[in-house]
Amino acid sequence: MSSTVVDFGKPKGDPAYHLKIDLRKFFPPINFKKMNKNKIPHIGLDIETLSLRPTACITAISAKTFFFDGTVDNGLSLKCCVDATSCAMYGLTSEQRTITWWATQPIEAKQFFLNEPAIKLRDALMKLAQLYHAVQDAYNCQRVLVWTQGTDFDIAVLRNAFRQVFDD
């Protein structure tokens, strides 16, 4: 895991210049035996992509804050479409087989992409980081657990995207 601190908002004139996140804190190792899961906020995270590789172009990010007791904080959530061209500008990749797979999906699966305007990758990643910090602030905690389907896709893709966009 990189020890790089990602500085959001470069250059200094950007309104989010002060926003920083350490990738190790955003995706920390977890010791489940030592934590009270009901008191720690969790973020359920899902992304949609145009590839199955860690370098995948991200087309959507969804995140929702919840607790293990079943409580959901709908005010602290994120759902955004990401502009594929902006992903390509940072070197994120797409694969024809994944694009073909998306073309075969029912209209209901693609409805979100058709109805929502896409934002630039940098803006989407900043929104995700801002959500993480907002959850920390709202619940006065240093640790927020991020959950995804599986251990080797969503996190790897997001880690690569953060590095491509925010590392110099």
Side-chain angles (χ1 to χ4, degrees):
M1 176 68 65
S2 170
S3 62
T4 302
V5 173
V6 180
D7 189 349
F8 295 94
K10 292 178 184 173
K12 285 188 177 181
D14 192 298
Y17 175 77
H18 67 282
L19 187 59
K20 291 185 177 184
I21 189 166
D22 185 327
L23 293 175
R24 291 170 301 167
K25 291 180 183 172
F26 196 67
F27 306 116
I30 301 169
N31 184 342
F32 288 102
K33 293 178 183 174
K34 292 186 177 180
M35 69 181 197
N36 181 343
K37 293 181 277 241
N38 288 328
K39 294 194 177 200
I40 298 173
H42 303 261
I43 296 176
L45 178 64
D46 185 37
I47 62 172
E48 302 300 338
T49 67
L50 294 179
S51 174
L52 298 177
R53 299 178 188 272
T55 58
C57 171
I58 300 168
T59 57
I61 301 174
S62 299
K64 187 163 286 231
T65 304
F66 69 95
F67 290 86
F68 262 46
D69 67 2
T71 307
V72 175
D73 188 334
N74 289 318
L76 289 171
S77 64
L78 169 68
K79 194 167 187 179
C80 62
C81 287
V82 181
D83 177 54
T85 303
S86 72
C87 291
M89 290 173 55
Y90 288 106
L92 302 187
T93 60
S94 59
E95 295 176 303
Q96 187 58 49
R97 66 183 176 162
T98 307
I99 294 168
T100 301
W101 179 85
W102 272 110
T104 66
Q105 297 308 297
I107 192 71
E108 296 81 20
K110 299 181 275 190
Q111 199 67 42
F112 177 68
F113 303 109
L114 301 173
N115 293 334
E116 292 294 319
I119 63 174
K120 294 183 184 306
L121 175 63
R122 181 180 188 278
D123 295 337
L125 295 175
M126 283 184 61
K127 285 178 179 275
L128 180 58
Q130 289 167 342
L131 171 67
Y132 183 86
H133 290 299
V135 171
Q136 284 181 312
D137 292 344
Y139 295 103
N140 194 26
C141 64
Q142 291 296 310
R143 182 170 221 164
V144 178
L145 299 180
V146 178
W147 295 87
T148 64
Q149 176 65 37
T151 59
D152 61 353
F153 185 69
D154 297 74
I155 299 298
V157 171
L158 285 167
R159 184 182 302 124
N160 177 66
F162 273 106
R163 286 181 180 151
Q164 293 300 317
V165 173
F166 297 107
D167 274 358
D168 288 328

